[in-house]
Amino acid sequence: MKITATAITILKRAASLVLLVALTGCAGQSLTPSPTIPSQTSPATNDGSTLRLYVARDCGALDPLFPETRDVQQLMVLTHEPLVRYGADGTLKGCLAENWQHETVGWQTCWTFYLRKGVYFHGDDGMELTADDVVFTMEKLMGSEAQSPYRATLSLIDHYEATDRYVLKVYCKYPLRTLPEAMIFPVVSRRDYGQTAFPVGTGPYVWKPDEDTSALHLEVNQNWWRQSPKIPNIVVRYMADNDAALAAFASRQLDVVPTQNRVAGSYRKEGVSNVISCLSQMFECLIPNVKGGVLSERAVRQAIAYALDRGDIITRAYAGFGLEADVPIAPDDARYDARFSAISTNTAKARQLLEEAGWSPDEESGIYQKDGRKLSFTIKVYPDSRNPSRLEAARLVAQQLGKVGMDVSVLSLTQTQYDRALANRDFDMLYGGIGFSRLPDWRFLVQSGGESNVMGYASAAMDAALEDYFAADTDEACQQAVVRMAMQFIEDLPVIGIG
């Protein structure tokens, strides 16, 4: 994953994603006062037969393999399906693949996936899903230079082939016990991909042509291989931004709105709407430039981590929606270990770390100094409409660090300025969020020379732990490598977790 302003601002686990859900049968009641919304909206009533959602107006093309925004990626879940998906308990479940197994073939590990029979792509003349469609999908993902949230983990694959109409064999460059977790990409039709106005999948809903250009329309896929969905129709309205969507929700013209807005809790109303907090795979963090300046010192980064009261930041900036986190592994992940929550607020420890590293507080200002330079830096932040709380969070960070003798300022940037700062590594520290998959493939971020290693971080110990994870040939060896990765992350703090 390449970190751009767009990607970094899609947050988060701190201030976890919040869903605002309107309850049907209560359309006559209103929520709290809201801004005026455009007149081109659906009626403020809903009989339960239609689910009303939204996407940003600038969400990009409806491409399941190369979505330009998370809006599109999430929307494609309604129309497309992967070989495997995560169940409610966090474990992998079969989807288009009924089951799978692995074996050692020479120096490689071969995973065999057995596809379901009788699964058809959308359309009156929909073709049956075969292993050739999966091969085609993988070829598209691995052969394109375009950014895709699914491509990084596929780089672990050496080659693959369809050995039967319903059998796919995948050969890995490593033993890779966790290869099935990389097979969560949406499968597209070999015949129809790129040839139709709307992408063709096998999922529970199909695109429904409509003259209404202000929205996308979907209806139930009558030929879906699973039990038919209970909601027959979905309307996805284009909205200028999340604020406009919240206004539409308040006026009963949308039924579900995902948001990270700090005022989300105010939309909860008995019998009318509910607010549901959801853990995501986004890691809210401080991103230091470790190639130069005061943040190149590990002791300084450790002092920052101990000086922060992350619970206070989450409470005040994100209205309590979120969990503190030191590493990008969620507590509901089977790989999570209690040792991964290693840092708690300890200002005395923060000062001790600084003084042991040769920093001393100035008698007048109280700001730590060393070799004639102050412990001073700027946090740059891009507070887009989906993450308005980030600016407040950055200011709280600066206030907390100021109390232990650090001179920290906050600079709010536009997206263009933020992109430029990333591209040129023109920053002391950024406040942002980074998306991680459940598969702990952190190479893009913390491997020496990683694609999105904008921090300039390099560690032989981390590189070795990453290599050992992919070379592990048992579940126990995989977990041991994950623990090493996480503990090295906590020791070096290439990024400093908020949650």
Side-chain angles (χ1 to χ4, degrees), residues 10-17 70 260 278-283 330 332 436:
I10 291 175
L11 300 197
K12 60 182 89 14
R13 184 175 289 116
S16 306
L17 179 67
R70 187 162 293 272
Q260 288 119 24
C278 310
L279 280 177
S280 76
Q281 289 303 120
M282 295 294 170
F283 186 58
D332 62 346
F436 287 83

Side-chain angles (χ1 to χ4, degrees), residues 288-293 295-297 301 425 453-458:
N289 181 348
V290 304
K291 291 294 285 185
L295 299 177
S296 64
E297 290 190 37
R301 301 196 299 273
R425 197 177 286 155
N453 187 345
V454 296
M455 308 84 65
Y457 171 71

Side-chain angles (χ1 to χ4, degrees), residues 332-345:
D332 62 346
D333 193 305
R335 302 179 186 88
Y336 187 80
D337 187 292
R339 288 172 288 179
F340 298 171
S341 295
I343 300 174
S344 58
T345 306

Side-chain angles (χ1 to χ4, degrees), residues 76-127:
M76 291 298 111
V77 173
L78 297 171
T79 58
H80 289 70
E81 297 173 296
L83 292 185
V84 301
R85 61 164 38 114
Y86 289 100
D89 61 357
T91 61
L92 279 185
K93 310 290 184 183
C95 188
L96 296 180
E98 284 188 302
N99 52 68
W100 52 92
Q101 63 184 32
H102 72 278
E103 61 182 330
T104 300
V105 179
W107 59 274
Q108 294 180 318
T109 298
C110 173
W111 286 88
T112 303
F113 294 86
Y114 300 93
L115 274 58
R116 295 183 188 277
K117 299 178 181 179
V119 176
Y120 289 87
F121 285 99
H122 302 157
D124 295 335
D125 62 342
M127 301 288 290

Side-chain angles (χ1 to χ4, degrees), residues 298-314:
R298 183 168 64 179
V300 172
R301 301 196 299 273
Q302 291 173 337
I304 290 171
Y306 279 103
L308 293 176
D309 184 343
R310 292 174 296 178
D312 181 63
I313 294 170
I314 292 170

Side-chain angles (χ1 to χ4, degrees), residues 1-14 70 280-288 327-329 387 390 418 422 427 430-437 441-442 444-446 452-455 489 494-499:
M1 169 181 173
K2 183 178 181 181
I3 298 181
T4 64
T6 301
I8 262 189
T9 57
I10 291 175
L11 300 197
K12 60 182 89 14
R13 184 175 289 116
R70 187 162 293 272
S280 76
Q281 289 303 120
M282 295 294 170
F283 186 58
E284 185 89 339
C285 57
L286 296 166
I287 305 168
V327 298
I329 299 178
N387 302 284
R390 187 179 294 123
Y418 198 84
L422 277 168
F427 60 89
L430 302 172
Y431 191 105
I434 305 173
F436 287 83
S437 69
D441 183 2
W442 300 351
F444 77 97
L445 184 70
V446 296
S452 296
N453 187 345
V454 296
M455 308 84 65
F489 193 99
V495 299
I496 302 168
I498 301 296

